[in-house]
Amino acid sequence: MGQQETVATSLADTVREGIGAALAQVDADLARRYPGDPGTRQPVHTVYVPGDAFAADTLRSWGDQALAALDAHAPDAGALAAVLGIPGALAADVHDRVRAKLTREPIEDLRIDFEDGYGPRPDAEEDAAAARAAALVAAAYENGTAAPYMGIRMKCMEAAVRDRGIRTLDIFLTGLMEAGGLPGGLVLTLPKVTYAEQVTAMVRLLEAFEKARGLENGRIGFEIQIETTQAILGADGRATVARMIEAAEGRATSLHYGTFDYSASCGVSAAHQSLDHPVADHAKAVMQVAAAGTGVRLSDGSTNVLPVGTTERVHEAWRLHHGLVSRSLARAYYQGWDMHPAHLPTRYAAVYAFYRGGLEQAAARLAAYVAKAGGDVMDEPATAKALSGYLLRGLDCGAVDTAEVARLTGLTRADLDALAGRPTVTGA
């Protein structure tokens, strides 16, 4: 008693050591390529505003317009539930939380657009707009009116607009530095990426800026926008998007699907270009598999059907948008684009219904897993990781509250981070 029993083995220690040595490079490669979730908050959407339209009050203006649309076309919980098909048990809570969100934080991620939404302009005009954007973003972070994430979409790396895009990025980043430094929520978007070499060029560009301004190497990351067929399948038959993540050298923060450019590149007629078209599903599935485990997030695209006009037309557009957002969430595309203030009510209604509708079941399963209590579903560590991630996303966007998650699971935010495999990030 008290002594460890010996068991018979046949292999010498040198066998184990030899296998370890043989796989050391694989171990290092796996750790480098697949670091897991970065542990930071992922916004539920990105709002694009043209560079010349962005103003100091843009975020508040979008929130006010969204609230006005909600009041005009779904003034109470019953009306919103009837339009969108939200279950009655969720309707009041979802409606109240949507209103609160539009008042408190209407936009989670804002991109000032210098690409398609801005178009070609005289150089002096774009120079001035880029400098103005930097000043406004810096001021927003300084006075507390900024969205959690803000930045620009530059022009792409194609030859015709490359120099203009580089100059706009330089002006914007330089303006932020001159105003006090790069904000923590800075996000940059590189559009219409076709070749991995264009991603490498962006990396070299950011390296040069960091060196010129004395910043830590790797400080600036960027999003890769997938808008061409070549970004999904290269001429050599390989999945180009996976090569792009590698080419980013750890700087890629997310992959964004471009609904209309990608659909058009596949020959889809304008009337059928949508988030739920088969070509969109294929592209996003490839993006999803390529990004899995890398720490690179995935974002769906947008709908161009705007909720404007009569109440009947607004309701029709809302049902479409709500359905598309709900579909994306079920497919683990937790972010998308919103193109109009009146898209915000249905964005948040779909997101909140998704997280609140599954809250009790997810919490019960996670609590049973932690307590090893069993139940009618036998969950494994991978499922516990997914359940924790689900609750964390709900907390981040305001769909659920820390107190109710703690009551239902007995777990803290730090506990959820650990179960989800996330590093604990202050303020995440």
Side-chain angles (χ1 to χ4, degrees), residues 165-199:
I166 291 172
R167 180 171 175 82
T168 296
L169 180 65
D170 186 7
I171 292 170
F172 179 73
L173 293 177
T174 299
L176 291 176
M177 291 297 297
E178 294 295 319
L182 304 183
L186 175 67
V187 187
L188 306 174
T189 304
L190 179 65
K192 292 184 175 59
V193 183
T194 304
Y195 278 70
E197 288 80 0
Q198 294 167 330
V199 175

Side-chain angles (χ1 to χ4, degrees), residues 232 257 259 262-263 266 268 274-289 298 300 324 327-328 331 333:
I232 296 297
Y257 177 68
T259 307
Y262 188 87
S263 297
C266 288
V268 179
S274 175
L275 300 181
D276 57 358
H277 192 282
V279 302
D281 284 341
H282 171 260
K284 288 179 288 190
V286 174
M287 292 163 61
Q288 190 171 41
V289 173
L298 185 66
D300 210 338
L324 290 170
R327 182 181 188 272
S328 295
R331 285 158 173 75
Y333 311 142

Side-chain angles (χ1 to χ4, degrees), residues 198-220:
Q198 294 167 330
V199 175
T200 299
M202 183 68 166
V203 171
R204 300 287 91 83
L205 176 62
L206 296 177
E207 283 178 342
F209 186 88
E210 289 164 349
K211 184 176 180 180
R213 300 299 306 209
L215 296 170
E216 178 185 359
N217 184 58
R219 165 65 181 84
I220 310 173

Side-chain angles (χ1 to χ4, degrees), residues 64-258:
D64 291 343
Q65 291 178 69
L67 284 167
L70 188 63
D71 289 341
H73 305 293
D76 55 46
L80 188 66
V83 175
L84 303 180
I86 297 172
L90 296 176
D93 204 5
V94 167
H95 189 271
D96 289 347
R97 286 175 183 268
V98 168
R99 283 198 62 86
K101 181 72 168 181
L102 295 176
T103 301
R104 180 185 73 255
E105 187 183 77
I107 296 175
E108 292 196 354
D109 182 29
L110 185 136
R111 206 69 69 251
I112 306 164
D113 192 18
F114 287 94
E115 202 231 356
D116 284 350
Y118 184 76
R121 306 289 180 96
D123 282 339
E125 183 178 342
E126 185 160 340
D127 283 356
R132 175 176 166 274
L136 290 172
V137 169
Y141 278 103
E142 177 67 24
N143 63 30
T145 61
Y149 299 97
M150 296 180 75
I152 67 167
R153 178 169 70 168
M154 60 189 282
K155 289 178 172 62
C156 69
M157 286 291 180
E158 293 176 356
V161 295
R162 183 185 304 139
D163 289 349
R164 180 63 260 181
I166 291 172
R167 180 171 175 82
T168 296
L169 180 65
D170 186 7
I171 292 170
F172 179 73
L173 293 177
T174 299
L176 291 176
M177 291 297 297
E178 294 295 319
L182 304 183
L186 175 67
V187 187
L188 306 174
T189 304
L190 179 65
K192 292 184 175 59
V193 183
T194 304
Y195 278 70
E197 288 80 0
Q198 294 167 330
V199 175
T200 299
M202 183 68 166
V203 171
R204 300 287 91 83
L205 176 62
L206 296 177
E207 283 178 342
F209 186 88
E210 289 164 349
K211 184 176 180 180
R213 300 299 306 209
L215 296 170
E216 178 185 359
N217 184 58
R219 165 65 181 84
I220 310 173
F222 61 97
E223 301 170 334
I224 300 171
Q225 198 156 19
I226 306 301
E227 301 178 87
T228 67
T229 55
Q230 294 90 344
I232 296 297
L233 188 68
D236 57 4
R238 292 192 292 174
T240 318
V241 66
R243 295 180 56 219
M244 290 177 178
I245 293 173
E246 177 71 9
E249 300 177 20
R251 293 179 186 263
T253 57
S254 59
L255 304 174
H256 283 234
Y257 177 68

